[in-house]
Amino acid sequence: MEEMSLPVVFEQARKIHQAASDSSVDQDAVSKGCEFLRKCEDMIGKLGLFSANETKEDISTSNLKYILVPYYLGELTEKIAQEDRIQILKASQAKLKEFISFCEAMEFLSKEELESIQATANTLADQRAKKIARFKRQKAAESKLLEIKERRERRGRSTRAAALSSPVEAGEEDLEEDDGEEEREAWLTTISLALCKAFDLLEMLKKEEEMLVAIKERLSQEGDDEFSQSILDERAKKAEAWHRSAASRARYTKPAAPITCATFAQDVIEGRADVSQFHEHKHQPMIFGPTSLVSQNPTSERERIAAQVFQPHYRLPTMSIEEAGLKEMEIMNKWQENTAKFIEESNSSWHNDNKKLRPGEDDEDEDDDAAQDKARAWDDWKDDNPRGAGNKKLTPCG
């Protein structure tokens, strides 16, 4: 480890933290991750990467990720299994507070967010409002990270396709600038997301510490000098299970990508699928809401509504790209058939010269002639008999 550089040590620690967040890992891996992170702290202090006079705008993009070292260390420290659980909780809280205070000094939080966080919630309504605001910020950060990830994947696919078709030399500098800005945006969003999680974890650790201290005091008052190890183990197991379930619920929401011919071809190229596999272009709609209901098929109207509690701010697609293309092709085929039929009818002899008389067409012509004669006779009579000619009351001396 002594010969490893700072980026390599940080990457190793980040992988261990990611594995510990996604699933349970053994204590050896947790201890190794904590050792890597402590090494990162020593190297950052020796190199002097951060200064108290700087803000987030003054920090280079390559150094932004090292701000997360105290947060990673606080989360991994909390997962250490030790007899004295209270000391572990205190050490984890100290690292989380260090991370939060450093982010405040670097102005990662706006004044409004800082005031809302520092404000004391005296009532349950205030606590609920703070949690809802924090949850909204966390969801916004997760959605932004997903958007950046999808953008990178699309750019990577287009770059590989362009490289296969023809070598591209122009515009490489613009791509590098875009990648740099995108990387900076991704790390800033990751730090914002880590801040939201750090506040939640800090509250949970405080409650757990208060609970353990209360149990210790109660046992000491009852005359038992030795701390009951069985009760401690039971409480630690419950807390561990609760934290694991909370971590699994706090994972990034990964919406299923719509299945299209292009994505299936990309899977075949990259070896994730076989050409002989049967592929149906069916759209699976995204489902949000509680995990207990999303993973099951709702059987009642109440469960169906409960599974749709947390919905995205945008309208969800109702069909896949392939289904939309097939529908557009069907509409165009019908339109072309109707257009060809109309053109054929307009150019046919039936429409121009050799019109076939329909039954009763001669009678209609005779009726038209009789009506015309009647109208002419009526006009002649009106000329011979002006209006009011037979009314004697209109004459002045009649």
Side-chain angles (χ1 to χ4, degrees):
M1 186 187 297
E2 297 295 334
E3 299 177 355
M4 296 171 66
S5 61
L6 178 58
V8 176
V9 176
F10 177 79
E11 188 63 24
Q12 293 291 332
R14 192 187 66 82
K15 288 180 180 178
I16 295 174
H17 174 266
Q18 184 67 30
S21 301
D22 293 342
S23 61
S24 59
V25 294
D26 54 358
Q27 290 298 311
D28 294 336
V30 174
S31 302
K32 191 175 181 181
C34 293
E35 188 179 354
F36 277 126
L37 290 169
R38 292 191 188 97
K39 180 65 177 176
C40 284
E41 282 188 332
D42 294 339
M43 297 176 74
I44 290 170
K46 291 178 182 178
L47 294 173
L49 296 182
F50 306 116
S51 173
N53 300 324
E54 292 179 340
T55 61
K56 64 179 180 180
E57 305 297 335
D58 301 325
I59 302 174
S60 62
T61 303
S62 58
N63 294 336
L64 278 175
K65 55 187 176 183
Y66 301 127
I67 298 175
L68 295 168
V69 170
Y71 169 70
Y72 289 163
L73 186 55
E75 278 202 334
L76 284 181
T77 304
E78 185 269 331
K79 298 179 185 298
I80 295 176
Q82 190 176 330
E83 293 183 1
D84 195 355
R85 177 67 180 170
I86 297 178
Q87 295 299 324
I88 294 294
L89 295 176
K90 288 182 178 179
S92 178
Q93 290 180 60
K95 287 300 176 183
L96 292 175
K97 289 178 181 177
E98 179 185 345
F99 169 68
I100 293 171
S101 61
F102 184 79
C103 289
E104 289 179 4
M106 292 294 160
E107 300 180 359
F108 279 96
L109 292 172
S110 62
K111 293 182 179 180
E112 297 159 351
E113 293 176 346
L114 192 58
E115 290 175 359
S116 64
I117 290 169
Q118 292 177 349
T120 56
N122 298 324
T123 61
L124 294 175
D126 294 339
Q127 294 178 4
R128 182 174 178 272
K130 284 181 67 176
K131 288 183 179 180
I132 290 175
R134 194 180 302 155
F135 177 79
K136 287 181 178 179
R137 287 198 298 270
Q138 182 175 341
K139 285 297 176 184
E142 290 177 356
S143 301
K144 194 171 183 180
L145 283 176
L146 281 176
E147 181 183 351
I148 293 172
K149 183 180 178 182
E150 292 174 358
R151 204 187 308 158
R152 284 178 175 175
E153 291 177 354
R154 287 197 298 268
R155 187 184 295 115
R157 288 197 294 266
S158 61
T159 304
R160 288 195 296 269
L164 291 174
S165 61
S166 61
V168 179
E169 297 179 357
E172 291 183 355
E173 295 180 358
D174 296 338
L175 288 176
E176 290 179 0
E177 291 179 2
D178 293 342
D179 291 342
E181 293 177 0
E182 196 173 70
E183 184 182 0
R184 186 175 185 84
E185 184 182 6
W187 281 118
L188 290 175
T189 309
T190 305
I191 294 171
S192 177
L193 179 62
L195 272 172
C196 297
K197 292 184 178 180
F199 282 115
D200 291 336
L201 183 58
L202 193 60
E203 288 183 3
M204 290 188 292
L205 295 180
K206 285 181 181 178
K207 291 179 181 179
E208 185 179 351
E209 183 185 0
E210 292 173 359
M211 180 181 65
L212 292 176
V213 170
I215 293 173
K216 190 174 182 179
E217 290 177 355
R218 187 185 66 182
L219 291 176
S220 62
Q221 289 175 0
E222 292 176 357
D224 190 359
D225 296 335
E226 296 181 359
F227 194 79
S228 177
Q229 188 64 33
S230 61
I231 295 178
L232 263 184
D233 292 340
E234 184 182 355
R235 297 284 183 177
K237 287 180 181 178
K238 286 184 179 179
E240 246 179 71
W242 193 89
H243 288 320
R244 284 176 187 170
S245 63
S248 64
R249 290 195 300 270
R251 289 180 186 173
Y252 295 159
T253 307
K254 298 179 180 178
I259 300 175
T260 62
C261 289
T263 55
F264 182 67
Q266 187 69 23
D267 292 341
V268 173
I269 292 172
E270 296 180 359
R272 292 192 297 268
D274 193 3
V275 183
S276 60
Q277 289 180 356
F278 181 71
H279 180 61
E280 291 184 356
H281 303 287
K282 289 187 177 180
H283 174 65
Q284 299 294 333
M286 293 181 290
I287 302 178
F288 296 81
T291 310
S292 59
L293 295 177
V294 169
S295 58
Q296 301 175 1
N297 293 325
T299 56
S300 63
E301 185 71 14
R302 181 185 180 87
E303 292 182 356
R304 187 184 65 81
I305 295 175
Q308 297 176 351
V309 172
F310 300 107
Q311 293 296 320
H313 61 278
Y314 49 86
R315 296 181 64 183
L316 297 176
T318 57
M319 64 177 69
S320 66
I321 299 176
E322 181 67 20
E323 290 173 344
L326 293 175
K327 197 160 187 176
E328 289 286 342
M329 286 295 295
E330 184 180 354
I331 294 172
M332 288 301 298
N333 289 334
K334 287 184 179 179
W335 181 81
Q336 288 179 355
E337 290 176 1
N338 294 333
T339 304
K341 184 178 178 182
F342 293 151
I343 292 173
E344 184 180 357
E345 288 179 355
S346 62
N347 294 332
S348 62
S349 58
W350 173 85
H351 184 75
N352 293 331
D353 300 325
N354 302 327
K355 293 184 177 180
K356 296 181 179 179
L357 297 175
R358 294 187 298 274
E361 190 170 352
D362 294 337
D363 298 336
E364 291 179 0
D365 293 341
E366 291 177 0
D367 294 339
D368 292 341
D369 294 339
Q372 191 176 3
D373 293 340
K374 186 177 180 181
R376 286 176 180 173
W378 176 248
D379 290 338
D380 295 340
W381 187 87
K382 284 196 294 184
D383 293 338
D384 295 338
N385 301 280
R387 182 178 178 83
N391 193 352
K392 293 182 179 181
K393 291 182 179 181
L394 293 178
T395 57
C397 299

